[in-house]
Amino acid sequence: MLLKIPGLLTNEQVHRCREALARASWVDGRTTAGHGAASVKQNLQLALSDPIGIEVGNLILDVLGRSPLFMSAALPLKVMPPMFNRYEGGGTYGNHVDNAIRMLRGTDHRVRTDISTTVFLTDPADYDGGELVIEDTYGSQTIKLAAGDMVMYPGTSVHRVTPVTRGSRISAFFWTQSLIREDAQRALLYELDNSIQQLAVDVPGHLEITRLTGVYHNLVRRWSIT
């Protein structure tokens, strides 16, 4: 399931993130790429231990935890701390698939990358290129969102970032391990949850809302990995 979440961050929060990241020290992005991905990766990133990256990442995680749309679509079990990348001067990232398992920074815990997420921090008018292109069942999906918007998509997807030929594209990215391992099952639960919420608005107090809510939670019980 590919899902866009507009306005995850407010304009003021985007400004705070950008101000902080402007003071950060960027390093070669290939240092965090797997063997195959390193050959097609040309960008800059913040080191995992960079205090500015940790500070801005915590801001994003705090906002994310209050997003009903993210919680409904992801059903998160573990969320990796956000990382940050910068593309400029022709910087690009060719076709690749994210590593299936990543280590949680500073721990021995592993996270399965069920869901990949990008939070855009640069206004699209400020740079040329830099589209996130995701291959899915319906073909190539080209994503270039407003600053503060977020897109989430299956970690199994082949994807790429096209060369940035003008300006600079700065984004946060991270992975989520879901309670529901299969993307198709998460999509069904997301649609069911949305339908229940809409029914609660359209026909509040209807007895079938309770029945459908029970179906939702029983499916979560059946499909959950915990």
Side-chain angles (χ1 to χ4, degrees), residues 13 33 78 100 175 182 188 216:
Q13 287 168 333
K78 301 176 186 177
W175 296 273
E182 296 298 326
L188 286 172
Y216 173 86

Side-chain angles (χ1 to χ4, degrees), residues 143-204:
I143 313 294
K144 187 173 183 178
L145 303 181
D149 290 358
M150 183 177 93
V151 62
M152 47 191 294
Y153 54 97
T156 54
S157 303
V158 175
H159 57 285
R160 63 185 179 275
V161 177
T162 65
V164 172
T165 57
R166 178 186 66 87
S168 179
R169 172 200 190 267
I170 297 175
S171 302
F173 62 100
F174 58 91
W175 296 273
T176 301
Q177 179 173 334
S178 178
L179 287 164
I180 309 299
R181 184 169 188 160
E182 296 298 326
D183 179 65
Q185 293 172 342
R186 289 196 303 272
L188 286 172
L189 288 168
Y190 174 71
E191 293 297 331
L192 180 56
D193 187 29
N194 275 271
S195 295
I196 292 169
Q197 292 185 47
Q198 189 60 52
L199 282 172
V201 173
D202 295 343
V203 283

